[in-house]
């Protein structure tokens, strides 16, 4: 028992120096998965697993190996808790959007769905910057917006190509999205503060930007799921729902303002 505790401590200390997740690297977890696959994922045992597997899990592509990894994750979690250590992270996250691919990814975690979730999240952030450019610059300088759009598409292409063809680097992806997100936040806030007296409805945009920035800190946290169900990532998803309602209200007010401004200008002409 003491030897196992020492190994867990050493692994915890090495976590910051190695790639992947701490739980995935734990020998107890790896041995458990290997033994489980040998006992349950071939021959008659595999047929038994498939015969008792719920239809919805079969349709989701849940395999015997996935089941072993899931069960062994809880075995390892129990060991960590028994030895007084923090719950380790598994599979690159204790869950680490567009909404569609985010839903697909959280329904069935595979290399493809994970990449689509991450890539769509980057696309959403870049699209927000593009919308900010259209609203703050594009109405007067459409050529600038066109050039900026081309730049953003190039950035997205390079980002996706690197992660797909060279190395899927979680650290790089996080830093890149945080950096792009900060540009997005600063740009929107600067425009809102500059126009708050002339356009009172931009206060809604300020609240949205600050709330999203604050809630995004949940994405950087890593704590055991509450009731083993709600982790930081899940809480982030739930928390952003009312924020998007407020942002829609801002877009509605801003569209009505632009429409009225256009009508007034037409009357003057």
């Amino acid at each position: 028992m003491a030897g196992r505790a020492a190994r867990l401590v050493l692994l915890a200390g090495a976590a910051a120096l190695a790639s992947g997740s701490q739980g995935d690297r734990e020998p107890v977890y790896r041995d458990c998965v290997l033994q489980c696959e040998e006992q349950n994922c071939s021959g008659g045992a595999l047929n038994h697993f498939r015969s008792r597997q719920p239809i919805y899990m079969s349709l989701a592509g849940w395999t015997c190996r996935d089941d072993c990894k899931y069960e062994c994750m809880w075995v390892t979690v129990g060991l960590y808790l028994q030895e007084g250590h923090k719950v380790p992270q598994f599979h690159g996250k204790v869950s680490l959007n567009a909404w569609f691919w985010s839903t697909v990814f959280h329904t069935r975690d595979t290399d493809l769905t994970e990449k689509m979730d991450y890539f769509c999240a980057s696309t959403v952030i870049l699209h927000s910057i593009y919308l900010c450019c259209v609203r703050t610059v594009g109405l007067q300088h459409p050529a600038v917006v066109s050039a900026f759009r081309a730049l953003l598409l190039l950035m997205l292409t390079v980002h996706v190509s690197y992660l797909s063809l060279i190395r899927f680097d979680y650290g790089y992806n996080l830093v890149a999205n945080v950096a792009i997100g900060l540009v997005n936040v600063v740009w929107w806030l600067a425009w809102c503060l500059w126009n708050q007296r002339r356009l009172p409805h931009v206060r809604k945009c300020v609240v949205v930007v600050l709330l999203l920035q604050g809630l995004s800190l949940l994405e950087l946290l890593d704590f055991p799921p509450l009731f083993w169900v709600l982790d930081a990532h899940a809480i982030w998803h739930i928390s952003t729902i009312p924020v998007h309602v407020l942002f829609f209200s801002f877009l509605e007010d801003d569209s009505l303002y632009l429409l009225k401004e256009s009508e007034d200008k037409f009357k003057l002409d």
Side-chain angles (χ1 to χ4, degrees), residues 94-150:
V94 184
S95 235
L96 264 187
N97 109 87
W99 289 104
F100 172 76
W101 278 109
S102 182
T103 301
V104 172
F105 168 57
H106 291 302
T107 301
R108 184 69 179 94
D109 182 355
T110 66
D111 287 342
L112 175 61
T113 58
E114 180 181 45
K115 286 183 171 64
M116 291 304 298
D117 179 45
Y118 279 42
F119 297 160
C120 288
S122 300
T123 303
V124 168
I125 299 173
L126 288 172
H127 189 254
S128 180
I129 294 180
Y130 172 68
L131 289 179
C132 186
C133 181
V134 170
R135 182 61 183 92
T136 61
V137 179
L139 299 179
Q140 295 80 28
H141 308 284
V144 174
V145 172
S146 296
F148 188 66
R149 179 176 63 240

Side-chain angles (χ1 to χ4, degrees), residues 16-250:
L17 302 177
S19 59
S21 300
Q22 181 178 338
D24 297 343
R25 295 191 305 271
E26 166 57 39
V28 172
Y29 170 77
R30 293 189 174 188
D31 291 344
C32 176
V33 172
L34 183 61
Q35 292 178 16
C36 178
E37 286 185 294
E38 291 177 348
Q39 295 174 6
N40 303 302
C41 298
S42 62
L46 178 59
N47 292 332
H48 177 68
F49 168 79
R50 290 172 175 170
S51 67
R52 64 183 177 82
Q53 184 180 35
I55 184 66
Y56 66 89
M57 296 188 73
S58 177
L59 292 174
W62 188 263
T63 66
C64 181
R65 175 175 171 77
D66 293 324
D67 204 62
C68 285
K69 291 167 67 176
Y70 177 78
E71 295 297 335
C72 291
M73 176 185 71
W74 289 112
V75 170
T76 310
V77 165
L79 260 177
Y80 267 75
L81 293 176
Q82 182 181 343
E83 301 293 344
H85 300 291
K86 292 175 60 177
V87 176
Q89 189 182 68
F90 287 86
H91 313 314
K93 54 217 154 282
V94 184
S95 235
L96 264 187
N97 109 87
W99 289 104
F100 172 76
W101 278 109
S102 182
T103 301
V104 172
F105 168 57
H106 291 302
T107 301
R108 184 69 179 94
D109 182 355
T110 66
D111 287 342
L112 175 61
T113 58
E114 180 181 45
K115 286 183 171 64
M116 291 304 298
D117 179 45
Y118 279 42
F119 297 160
C120 288
S122 300
T123 303
V124 168
I125 299 173
L126 288 172
H127 189 254
S128 180
I129 294 180
Y130 172 68
L131 289 179
C132 186
C133 181
V134 170
R135 182 61 183 92
T136 61
V137 179
L139 299 179
Q140 295 80 28
H141 308 284
V144 174
V145 172
S146 296
F148 188 66
R149 179 176 63 240
L151 175 62
L152 292 179
L153 287 173
L154 177 61
M155 290 173 60
L156 180 62
T157 301
V158 172
H159 180 70
V160 171
S161 297
Y162 172 75
L163 293 174
S164 300
L165 304 176
I166 300 177
R167 180 189 175 199
F168 197 83
D169 188 328
Y170 292 96
Y172 155 74
N173 183 71
L174 177 63
V175 171
N177 282 307
V178 169
I180 296 170
L182 287 175
V183 172
N184 185 45
V185 167
V186 171
W187 196 341
W188 272 114
L189 284 181
W191 177 78
C192 289
L193 295 175
W194 183 264
N195 292 280
Q196 61 178 336
R197 292 185 179 179
R198 185 171 63 90
L199 308 173
H201 62 270
V202 302
R203 294 170 186 169
K204 295 181 180 179
C205 185
V206 171
V207 173
V208 168
V209 170
L210 293 178
L211 280 176
L212 286 177
Q213 189 67 11
L215 291 172
S216 66
L217 294 176
L218 287 169
E219 290 285 70
L220 304 179
L221 297 177
D222 180 20
F223 55 80
L226 302 176
F227 312 110
W228 301 114
V229 174
L230 296 174
D231 63 1
H233 189 66
I235 296 173
W236 175 80
H237 273 297
I238 296 170
S239 303
T240 57
I241 295 174
V243 178
H244 285 86
V245 174
L246 182 59
F247 188 59
F248 179 82
S249 177
F250 158 71

Side-chain angles (χ1 to χ4, degrees), residues 253-269:
D253 291 344
D254 199 48
S255 298
L256 290 173
Y257 165 78
L258 292 174
L259 181 62
K260 185 178 183 302
E261 186 181 52
S262 178
E263 290 175 346
D264 292 343
K265 184 177 181 180
F266 178 76
K267 291 178 182 177
L268 290 175
D269 292 341

